[in-house]
Amino acid sequence: MQDQISKRAFFRGKLKAAISLRPPGAVEQFAELCTRCDACLTACPTGIIGRDPEGLPKVDLSNGACLFCGECAEACEPQAILPATSWAIRAKVNASCLSFNGIMCRTCEDHCDHQAIHFHLMTRGRSVPTIDPDRCTGCGECAAPCPSQSIQFYEQPSQRG
């Protein structure tokens, strides 16, 4: 799921590669099975599926949330996407968050239907957000309304025993 780090990003100090979010239910052999037909793009009711540089479908949660409706899976004839009601993607808040920088903002908490985001009181009346990965579905409902674009997504490690 991780993309390669470009030389330009390396020299600019951006050592972490951004993850390409595949649609929920994307199978392990997604890149091999996907025919790049765009059926999932047109089927997505929220319009959050676009293309990565290789032409493969990817989810962009900065424009809206995933409803986990299954429309992309239903439209996928090669079955590169199967029906799913969740995925291993979770939200996290980065340092550009207004609340981390002393500016009152709770927009992410207000938009989280799963109540996964809570603010904890700090010194001097500040409060900062924390995200409960057990409650977060990775839907992205918190990302688009964030005024500082401080919500990022990561793949949660599998919890195999």
Side-chain angles (χ1 to χ4, degrees):
M1 183 155 247
Q2 291 284 347
D3 292 338
Q4 294 291 328
I5 299 171
S6 71
K7 287 180 187 176
R8 180 175 294 159
F10 177 79
F11 287 115
R12 288 185 178 167
K14 297 180 180 179
L15 300 178
K16 282 192 163 187
I19 61 171
S20 286
L21 300 178
R22 301 297 176 208
V27 298
E28 194 171 316
Q29 307 83 9
F30 180 76
E32 292 82 27
L33 291 173
C34 179
T35 62
R36 296 166 175 81
C37 68
D38 292 346
C40 60
L41 277 73
T42 57
C44 180
T46 56
I48 60 169
I49 302 177
R51 287 189 211 97
D52 70 5
E54 296 171 3
L56 289 168
K58 76 170 193 167
V59 174
D60 180 0
L61 296 172
S62 65
N63 296 320
C66 181
L67 305 174
F68 300 106
C69 64
E71 295 291 326
C72 58
E74 191 174 313
C76 185
E77 286 189 29
Q79 295 190 328
I81 306 169
L82 300 176
T85 56
S86 66
W87 56 1
I89 302 302
R90 297 294 181 263
K92 66 179 176 179
V93 182
N94 69 31
S96 67
C97 173
L98 296 177
S99 292
F100 286 153
N101 292 288
I103 300 169
M104 170 100 171
C105 179
R106 291 188 174 214
T107 302
C108 58
E109 181 182 47
D110 294 341
H111 285 85
C112 182
D113 291 339
H114 301 283
Q115 298 179 336
I117 304 173
H118 297 284
F119 279 74
H120 296 281
L121 192 60
M122 304 297 284
T123 58
R124 298 184 182 166
R126 291 185 327 134
S127 59
V128 294
T130 58
I131 299 177
D132 181 350
D134 294 331
R135 294 195 85 148
C136 179
T137 63
C139 70
E141 196 69 55
C142 57
C146 177
S148 59
Q149 300 175 341
S150 299
I151 307 292
Q152 295 177 313
F153 295 90
Y154 68 97
E155 187 172 9
Q156 185 178 38
S158 65
Q159 309 217 343
R160 295 181 191 154

